[in-house]
């Protein structure tokens, strides 16, 4: 925007002198300026509107494009001839015709294309792309669920391809992957996650033909021990993900005689057939391993830990969801030299004894995840804080036995913390005051912390100026006066969640509107918020992309109109239970990149108003609607919208009023209710 | 093949088949090198299936038949009859044909032994003379260079070795165990036994030079001939074909590791192999299709074949006990199954010989009526193929089909540049769902404000056909690899055949246009457009 102003001044000057002063600027200088332009895509738009030369400079400078509509592709690509990266994630409908346009206008310039959110293209379009854009290095075809082997075969024409994502391409079989393996010899990254049609033969061929592979994601593939030896022979393999490969067991790992020396990260989560026997054989063959993920696998016992002894380079170990024994934890503590990262999230059997022993040995720990380790107490926290003072990330959601005094220790000892998750804990204002000393905090999660009030939050706002993400979900003690210091003290704030903090009012939103970078605002169930507060946010937070104002009854069309006008980056909105009507909804159509709408239980919404709004919002990909709208509107309308790329989710829930008043407004009773359900 | 044990003493195998460029040439050559045959009419037309010619089928190695025309074959057959007639003559004719000898399963013959011994005597005398000569020379010229001395020494040693070897082999012909050791497929030390005029066992296969040399130098062995006894070298030179026959044969079945000599090697003639019979009389060689018929035939050869035991189905146990293990050699020179090959792998049965010979050395004359591409030389193979033809759905870009996916992937792993070829009807199916509402619908969507959605497809349909016809014309390539395939993908016949055309990388785009255009008519009344085409 500043640029725009200076540009205006310059234009005036130029008119006086009959000369454009910008002509004196060298292209390099303008390019540098362009490089420094911020995240908001509108900035570059303003820049290019300054004058013809700026327009052409911007056109030739831009390399990456993320178009909103495939319809505009011919014009956009003509304007930006140097496009190297094309991100089509905002275009749900990309047909073969669109791909033909892309391939003919980008040609060999194109290096990267992302089709992971697009549908409606087929092998024909891909083969055109392969024929004309031979320099493509990166192709993301994840979620192309209708793509079959011919599509994969078309990709095999891309000889220079290095990175390829095929996640969830369930119809691709060994044949298609075989074509890719033969054609794309330079592949360095290949993700076949959820490609359920691909088995040993396809993966084996990839391992034989693509010797350059560094990263290989084979999660949930029906592979067995047949292809594993050839995978392990890949000379440069660094990252191997075998999550959920049930066909891989101890025998197949034992069969891997020749280990992969280059392997740095291995993920064998959810491989239930791998025990410590298989682990010890893989550990002896992959000595350079730095990261190991064993989540949801066999129990972590002393023999398992001992089997990993040979992994001297190991820095990170993730044991999420495993059952853990005390001796197992102790063995892990004594086995490894210096772990940097440890995750025991949702592990059962983590006790003070084993865990304390572990953390006292592993003083280098930087990241620690003890989410839902419900047996640990203040003792463990005391040990963690005293020995691992260099912690940058601590996640301890729902550690219910940890008392509020322990959180004071965290603030006192761990000053390097950048990420702290205290969701559903007993932390109080005193703890928050102490945590305020962690001046590097960027992510702070205080959801369902019922003991905190505005006073504690004020301490955070004063000292944690780097805060980017703040979660106050159902922390009912917070009101507008707590948000105000946060909004003032944390200018980098991008995400804030104040859902069900019923005391949040327009004043809080007005103060938050100062946070220029805010992109996500969730204030579901804050009945005091009105359209005025929302208008302030719309005007102040231009980056806003995600807005949840469900159950903010007071918000009506008056809030929608400023939103439609100012929040041009809005992607996702939840308007359920608000007082928005046809008018407000239709006005949202002016937000060109709006993709997802949840509009349940809008009293003022008529079927025809809905139809108009849906047709007007051209970029919609996902709409949640109440089932009652299905009948009055013609089926062909929905069919038409579906061919545009929109998916409808029909809900048939009853209108909730009573629950809202009794339970949701009183978090304590809500929590009690929850505890009744989950003993 | 009992005939080997029969009473033929002299088997003259004069298979000198120098590149038979013309009949006359060949005849002349034969005349020159084999004067003893000049009496026999070379052009005598005689059936190769005569009894006499059959007798030596175990020992003759046929020349590479494929390069021979019919005429030369005739000569050959007549020659064979000559040979056999010659062999029927009494008396051990001193053969001039010096070639490799294999002490074949042969009854001891005192006359041959006598011959051998007299020859050895002669040889020893010659050697004696030579040594005398050297001694005399040494006395005269003292200042002789070391080289000459060494040369002389080598000469004598070689001659001595030769004599010793021959002595041993002569004695060995009495002992079965020794005999079989020598009778390996490649017995170098007894290379000169041929001079003994014993049982000639020619294996100088189609080697012009070697044969000529041997036949010329055979009768009068001069002592001062350089390296007179260098059998290994000789044999090496006599197998020029083997040198470039490095390719391994496909049907090298189970590595049966029989020690050479532990079995009897039989070699059938090409004509016999190609004959429609599988059961042969071991006495007269007559062929039969059924073993029972052969047994009936055998009655004519003597009373011992008339017993109920002989007429009953032969018991396996008895045979293996009494008879020597039999293995077969392919008559094709240079073939790995030929007994002169360095890595000779014998064939187990006559049926194996027949199938091997037909598969490897014959034209593939049976063509599959279904696919019209696969050819076979053994009719059983054709029948096996026809059972599965069209079911081999795993296709490689090279056009090879496989009945199993893992076989295809093994093939692709092995060969550079080969790609799995995706059958086009799969392509067709793939395009269907993903193409819902193609561009035409998209255009309509812009007009959709009035919420009247009639998906008229008449115009699309026409366009689709147009596309298809265009496609066809462009694909009309002389190479023709796409045209049958197009037809397949257009005609939605129930016959679920996969195209056998090579999946060409460079033309990948082209080949996928077809389903694209197909897709139109599939969606919008594919049947009608189909019938239009047909």
């Amino acid at each position: 925007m500043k640029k725009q102003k200076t540009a205006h001044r310059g234009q005036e000057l130029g008119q006086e002198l009959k000369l454009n002063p910008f002509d004196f600027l060298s292209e390099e200088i303008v390019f540098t300026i362009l490089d420094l332009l911020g995240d908001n895509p509108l900035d570059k738009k303003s820049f290019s509107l300054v004058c013809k030369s700026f327009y052409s400079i911007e056109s030739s400078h831009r390399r990456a494009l993320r178009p909103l509509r495939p319809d505009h592709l011919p014009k956009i690509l003509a304007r930006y001839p140097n496009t190297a990266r094309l991100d089509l994630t905002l275009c749900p409908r990309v047909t073969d015709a669109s791909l033909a346009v892309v391939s003919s206008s980008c040609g060999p310039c194109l290096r990267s294309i992302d089709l992971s959110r697009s549908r409606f293209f087929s092998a024909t379009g891909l083969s055109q792309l392969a024929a004309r854009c031979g320099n493509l290095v990166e192709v993301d075809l994840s979620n192309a669920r209708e793509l079959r082997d011919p599509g994969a075969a078309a990709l095999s024409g891309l000889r220079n391809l290095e990175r390829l994502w095929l996640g969830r391409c369930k119809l691709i079989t060994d044949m298609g992957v075989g074509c890719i393996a033969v054609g794309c010899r330079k592949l360095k990254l290949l993700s076949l996650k959820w490609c359920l049609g691909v088995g040993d033969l396809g993966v084996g061929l990839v391992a034989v033909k693509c010797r350059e592979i560094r990263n290989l994601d084979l999660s949930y593939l029906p592979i067995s021990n047949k292809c594993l030896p050839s995978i392990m022979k890949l000379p440069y393999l660094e990252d191997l993900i075998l999550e959920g490969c049930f066909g891989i067991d101890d025998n197949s790992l034992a069969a891997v005689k020749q280990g992969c020396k280059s392997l740095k990260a291995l993920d064998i989560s959810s491989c239930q057939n791998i025990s410590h026997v298989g682990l010890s054989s893989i550990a002896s063959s992959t000595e350079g391993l730095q990261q190991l993920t064993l989540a949801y696998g066999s129990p972590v016992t002393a023999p398992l830990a001992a089997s990993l002894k040979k992994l001297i380079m190991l820095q990170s170990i993730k044991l999420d969801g495993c059952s853990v024994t005390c001796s197992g934890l102790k063995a892990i503590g004594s086995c490894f030299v210096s772990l940097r990262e440890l995750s025991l999230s949702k592990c059962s059997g983590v006790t003070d004894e084993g865990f304390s022993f572990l953390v006292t040995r592993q003083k280098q720990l930087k990241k620690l995840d003890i989410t839902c380790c419900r047996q640990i107490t203040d003792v463990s926290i005391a040990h963690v804080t005293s020995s691992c003072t260099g912690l940058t990330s601590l996640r301890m959601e729902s550690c219910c036995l940890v008392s509020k005094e322990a959180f004071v220790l965290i603030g006192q000892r761990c000053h390097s913390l950048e990420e702290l998750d205290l969701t559903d804990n007993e932390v109080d204002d005193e703890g928050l005051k102490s945590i305020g000393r962690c001046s590097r905090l960027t992510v702070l999660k205080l959801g369902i912390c019922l003991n905190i009030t505005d006073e504690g939050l004020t301490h955070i706002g004063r000292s944690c100026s780097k805060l980017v993400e703040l979660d106050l979900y159902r922390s009912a003690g917070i009101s507008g006066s707590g948000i105000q210091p946060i909004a003032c003290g944390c200018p980098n704030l991008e995400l804030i969640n104040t859902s069900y903090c019923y005391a949040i009012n327009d004043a809080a939103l007005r103060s938050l509107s100062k946070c220029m970078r805010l992109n996500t605002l969730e204030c579901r169930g804050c009945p005091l918020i009105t359209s005025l507060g929302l208008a302030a946010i719309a005007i102040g937070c231009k980056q806003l992309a995600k807005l949840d104002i469900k159950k903010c009854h007071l918000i009506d069309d008056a809030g929608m109109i400023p939103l439609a006008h100012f929040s041009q980056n809005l992607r996702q909105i939840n308007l359920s239970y608000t007082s928005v009507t046809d008018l407000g909804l239709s006005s949202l159509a002016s937000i060109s990149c709006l993709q997802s709408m949840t509009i349940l239980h809008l009293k003022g919404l008529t079927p025809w108003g809905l139809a108009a709004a849906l047709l007007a919002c051209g970029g919609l990909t996902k709409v949640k609607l109440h089932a009652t709208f299905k009948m009055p509107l013609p089926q062909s309308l929905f069919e038409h919208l579906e061919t545009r790329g929109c998916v409808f989710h029909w809900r048939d829930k009853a209108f909730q009023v009573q629950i809202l008043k009794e339970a949701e407004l009183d978090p304590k009773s809500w929590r009690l209710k929850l505890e009744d359900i989950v003993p | 093949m009992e005939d080997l044990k029969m009473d033929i003493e002299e088997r003259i195998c004069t298979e000198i088949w120098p590149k038979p460029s013309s009949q006359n040439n060949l005849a002349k050559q034969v005349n020159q090198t084999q004067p003893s045959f000049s009496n026999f009419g070379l052009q005598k037309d005689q059936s190769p299936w005569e009894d006499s010619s059959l007798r030596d089928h175990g020992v003759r190695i046929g020349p590479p038949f494929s390069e021979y025309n019919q005429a030369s074959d005739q000569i050959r057959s007549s020659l064979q009859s000559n040979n056999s007639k010659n062999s029927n003559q009494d008396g051990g004719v001193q053969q001039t044909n010096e070639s490799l000898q294999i002490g074949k399963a042969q009854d001891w013959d005192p006359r041959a032994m006598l011959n051998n011994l007299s020859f050895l005597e002669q040889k020893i005398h010659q050697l004696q003379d030579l040594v005398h000569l050297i001694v005399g020379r040494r006395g005269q010229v003292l200042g002789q260079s070391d080289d000459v001395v060494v040369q002389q020494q080598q000469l004598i040693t070689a001659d001595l070795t030769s004599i010793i070897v021959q002595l041993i082999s002569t004695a060995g012909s009495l002992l079965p165990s020794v005999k079989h050791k020598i009778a390996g497929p490649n017995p170098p030390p007894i290379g000169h036994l041929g001079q003994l005029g014993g049982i000639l066992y020619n294996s100088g296969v189609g080697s012009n030079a070697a044969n000529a040399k041997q036949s010329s130098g055979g009768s009068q062995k001069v002592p001062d001939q350089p390296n007179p006894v260098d059998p290994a070298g000789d044999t090496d030179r006599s197998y020029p074909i083997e040198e470039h026959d490095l390719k391994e044969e496909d049907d090298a079945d189970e590595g049966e590791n029989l020690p050479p000599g532990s079995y009897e090697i039989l070699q059938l003639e090409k004509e016999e192999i190609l004959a429609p019979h599988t059961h042969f009389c071991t006495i007269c060689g007559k062929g039969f299709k059924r073993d029972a018929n052969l047994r009936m035939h055998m009655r004519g050869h003597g009373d011992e074949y008339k017993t109920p035991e002989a007429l009953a189905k032969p018991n396996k146990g008895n045979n293996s006990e009494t008879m020597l293990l039999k293995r077969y050699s392919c008559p094709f020179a240079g073939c790995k199954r030929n007994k002169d090959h360095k890595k000779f792998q014998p064939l187990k049965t006559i049926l194996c010989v027949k199938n091997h010979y037909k598969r490897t050395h014959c034209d593939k004359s049976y063509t599959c009526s279904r696919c019209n591409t696969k050819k076979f030389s053994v009719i059983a193979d054709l029948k096996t193929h026809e059972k599965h033809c069209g079911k081999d759905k795993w296709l490689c870009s090279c056009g090879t089909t496989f009945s199993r996916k893992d076989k295809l992937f093994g093939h692709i792993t092995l060969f550079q540049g080969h790609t799995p070829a995706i059958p086009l009807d799969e392509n067709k199916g793939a395009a269907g769902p993903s193409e819902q509402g193609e561009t035409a619908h998209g255009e309509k969507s812009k007009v959709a404000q009035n919420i009247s959605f009639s998906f008229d497809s008449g115009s699309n349909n026409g366009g689709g056909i147009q596309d298809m016809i265009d496609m066809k014309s462009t694909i009309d390539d002389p190479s023709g690899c796409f045209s049958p395939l197009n037809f397949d993908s257009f005609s939605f016949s129930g016959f679920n055949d996969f195209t056998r055309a090579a999946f060409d990388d460079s033309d990948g785009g082209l080949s996928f246009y077809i389903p694209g255009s197909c897709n139109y008519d599939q969606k919008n009344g594919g049947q009608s457009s189909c019938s239009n085409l047909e």
Side-chain angles (χ1 to χ4, degrees), chain A residues 165-281:
Chain A
W165 289 268
L166 289 172
R168 287 221 292 164
C169 295
K170 293 184 189 177
L171 295 180
I172 289 181
T173 70
D174 287 333
M175 298 292 278
V177 170
C179 288
I180 291 170
V182 173
C184 313
R185 293 298 183 87
K186 293 183 182 169
L187 271 183
K188 287 182 177 161
L189 182 147
L190 179 62
S191 171
L192 294 172
K193 189 172 184 173
W194 285 115
C195 292
L196 298 177
V198 179
D200 282 324
L201 293 171
V203 174
L205 197 66
V206 166
V208 169
K209 299 280 182 185
C210 308
R211 307 295 287 170
E212 299 281 309
I213 282 192
R214 266 84 169 155
N215 300 58
L216 191 56
D217 188 346
L218 303 174
S219 305
Y220 301 98
L221 291 198
I223 51 171
S224 69
N225 48 5
K226 278 179 196 149
C227 66
L228 206 59
S230 46
I231 292 171
M232 286 303 186
K233 279 178 197 155
L234 283 170
Y236 305 109
L237 189 66
E238 287 175 6
D239 189 358
L240 178 62
I241 305 177
L242 295 171
E243 187 183 341
C245 293
F246 301 114
I248 289 176
D249 54 17
D250 288 347
N251 293 333
S252 46
L253 292 179
V256 179
K257 293 275 180 284
Q258 194 183 343
C260 189
K261 296 275 179 282
S262 57
L263 200 65
K264 290 199 169 69
L266 177 67
D267 186 345
I268 43 174
S269 312
S270 309
C271 292
Q272 282 140 353
N273 297 323
I274 297 178
S275 73
H276 64 90
V277 181
L279 277 177
S280 69
S281 52

Side-chain angles (χ1 to χ4, degrees), chain B residues 20 71 99 120 133 149 172 229 240 263 277 279 355 422 430:
Chain B
S99 54
L120 277 175
L133 196 70
V149 177
V229 185
Y263 50 87
H277 303 143
H279 303 277
N355 284 341
I422 316 291

Side-chain angles (χ1 to χ4, degrees), chain A residues 457-467 470 480-493 496 507-516 518:
Chain A
L457 212 54
T458 309
H459 292 296
I460 298 292
R462 273 186 199 150
S463 44
C464 304
S465 57
K466 291 183 177 172
L467 211 61
L470 179 63
S481 52
I483 299 296
Q484 202 266 336
I486 292 287
C488 294
C490 312
N492 295 326
L493 202 68
I496 187 162
L509 291 195
R510 267 197 295 275
S511 54
L512 278 177
S513 67
K514 288 173 204 151
C515 300
M516 302 273 285
L518 198 72

Side-chain angles (χ1 to χ4, degrees), chain A residues 93 96-97 120-122 128 146 148-150 153 159 174-175 178-179 182 185 201 205 208-209 634 636-637 640, chain B residues 394 405-406 408-409 412-413 415-416 418-422 426-427 430 434-435 437 439 445 448 451 453 505 513:
Chain A
R93 181 188 172 81
D96 288 342
F120 302 105
F121 58 88
S122 76
Q128 273 177 324
E146 282 119 9
R148 283 169 191 266
D149 289 339
R159 305 265 176 242
D174 287 333
M175 298 292 278
C179 288
V182 173
R185 293 298 183 87
L201 293 171
L205 197 66
V208 169
K209 299 280 182 185
S636 51
L637 169 78
H640 162 65
Chain B
W394 305 108
K405 188 159 73 163
D406 54 336
L408 167 66
F409 275 75
I412 287 161
T413 310
F415 294 100
Q416 291 278 321
H418 289 211
T419 312
I422 316 291
E426 188 181 329
N427 198 3
S434 64
E435 284 293 313
T439 38
S445 70
I451 321 176
F453 302 91
D505 284 7
Y513 283 118

